[in-house]
């Protein structure tokens, strides 16, 4: 099935700096790549996603880039703020089995800490 | 519009006990999922459902059963709880993964401890 690797597992930045989290995937058929943010004690929430027909997507301070040839995609957060501190997960669809073609495989998460 | 809700929020079980976790969504979504989240392991899919009356196994289905008798509800059952099932359980739903509207919406989670 789809294998999603996420790096780094922890990331500490100073307020105002940029943060970058990278993910790789194994299935070249994957065409949808969401990023989720999980705050302490809460469920993950979608913050941005990208489809394989575009290489980059921006939403205010966050952006996602996709390199289909290399099979990797990245989350970029600029001008980080303390409220960006959370665990971030990338994901990709699992099409390896027609029965599980509707599920997402998640990376193991990146714990981001933004210090004032 | 409450989105995805889960009950209970917390539960402590003894080994061998059984329980059912309830997930409900009010967004008329076709697809529903159960994940478990363990430190350093990310989110792992237990079971999922692509519609009322249908269920399928995910990555880690052993020791769990599910039912989707109504479109808005997805139940996760533990027949004989084991300490290895101590985890945080998340339910999610989505319209589908085959259209543009395939965001998965997560519930707040259930923290389960098995002693």
């Amino acid at each position: 099935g789809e294998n999603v690797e996420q790096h780094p597992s922890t990331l500490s930045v100073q307020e105002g700096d940029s943060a970058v989290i990278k993910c790789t995937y194994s299935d070249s058929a994957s065409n949808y790549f969401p990023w989720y943010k999980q705050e302490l004690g809460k469920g993950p929430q979608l913050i941005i996603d990208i489809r394989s027909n575009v290489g980059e997507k921006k939403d205010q301070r966050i952006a996602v880039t996709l390199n289909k040839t290399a099979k990797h995609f990245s989350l970029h957060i600029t001008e980080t703020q303390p409220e960006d501190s959370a665990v971030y997960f990338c994901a990709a669809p699992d099409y390896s089995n027609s029965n599980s073609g509707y599920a997402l495989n998640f990376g193991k998460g990146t714990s981001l800490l933004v210090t004032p | 519009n409450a989105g995805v809700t889960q009950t209970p929020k917390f539960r402590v079980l003894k080994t061998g006990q059984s329980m059912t976790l309830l997930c409900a969504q009010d967004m008329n979504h076709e697809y529903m999922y159960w994940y478990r989240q363990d430190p350093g392991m990310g989110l792992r899919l237990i079971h999922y459902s692509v519609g009322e009356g249908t269920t399928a196994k995910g990555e880690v289905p052993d020791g769990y059963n599910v039912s989707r008798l109504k479109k808005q509800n997805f139940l996760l059952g533990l027949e004989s709880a084991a300490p290895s099932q101590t985890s945080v359980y998340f339910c999610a739903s989505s319209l589908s993964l085959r259209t543009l509207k395939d965001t998965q919406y997560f519930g707040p989670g259930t923290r389960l401890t098995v002693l």
Side-chain angles (χ1 to χ4, degrees):
Chain A
E2 175 71 278
N3 186 31
V4 180
E5 300 282 342
Q6 182 172 348
H7 300 279
S9 57
T10 60
L11 180 58
S12 183
V13 299
Q14 287 210 311
E15 184 176 0
D17 288 349
S18 295
V20 180
I21 303 169
K22 298 180 179 180
C23 286
T24 61
Y25 61 97
S26 58
D27 189 350
S28 56
S30 292
N31 59 3
Y32 171 65
F33 307 94
W35 284 91
Y36 285 81
K37 176 183 181 182
Q38 185 178 24
E39 296 176 338
L40 197 61
K42 296 184 178 180
Q45 272 198 311
L46 180 76
I47 53 171
I48 195 168
D49 57 15
I50 191 168
R51 299 177 194 283
S52 59
N53 56 343
V54 296
E56 183 176 4
K57 183 177 178 181
K58 285 184 180 179
D59 183 2
Q60 298 182 347
R61 293 187 298 107
I62 60 172
V64 56
T65 58
L66 171 65
N67 183 327
K68 282 210 55 119
T69 303
K71 289 191 274 188
H72 66 72
F73 55 111
S74 300
L75 177 71
H76 304 254
I77 306 174
T78 58
E79 300 172 27
T80 53
Q81 301 167 3
E83 50 265 39
D84 293 330
S85 297
V87 179
Y88 293 81
F89 292 96
C90 62
D94 185 349
Y95 296 126
S96 61
N97 181 322
S98 60
N99 286 330
S100 64
Y102 310 92
L104 289 173
N105 279 352
F106 286 83
K108 287 186 167 51
T110 296
S111 180
L112 174 64
L113 177 64
V114 181
T115 55
Chain B
N1 191 336
V4 181
T5 57
Q6 292 181 233
T7 51
K9 288 187 168 54
F10 304 94
R11 185 72 187 269
V12 178
L13 290 178
K14 294 181 179 178
T15 297
Q17 287 185 317
S18 63
M19 77 162 295
T20 300
L21 283 68
L22 171 64
C23 175
Q25 52 93 5
D26 60 2
M27 297 174 282
N28 201 34
H29 283 170
E30 288 294 333
Y31 297 77
M32 297 188 75
Y33 316 82
W34 275 107
Y35 295 90
R36 61 177 289 173
Q37 185 175 39
D38 304 292
M41 299 296 291
L43 291 154
R44 293 184 293 169
L45 184 65
I46 304 171
H47 286 279
Y48 66 100
S49 168
V50 301
E52 183 179 323
T54 69
T55 63
K57 294 180 180 180
E59 179 187 354
V60 288
D62 295 342
Y64 305 95
N65 56 77
V66 288
S67 64
R68 183 99 180 267
L69 299 179
K70 293 182 179 180
K71 186 178 183 179
Q72 63 268 33
N73 296 337
F74 195 27
L75 279 63
L76 178 71
L78 286 75
E79 290 186 349
S80 179
S84 60
Q85 294 177 304
T86 293
S87 187
V88 181
Y89 292 86
F90 288 100
C91 176
S93 72
S94 66
L95 197 61
S96 86
L97 266 184
R98 300 281 184 176
T99 72
L100 292 177
K101 299 180 181 178
D102 46 15
T103 302
Q104 285 195 21
Y105 295 87
F106 283 81
T110 295
R111 186 173 294 275
L112 175 67
T113 301
V114 183
L115 303 175

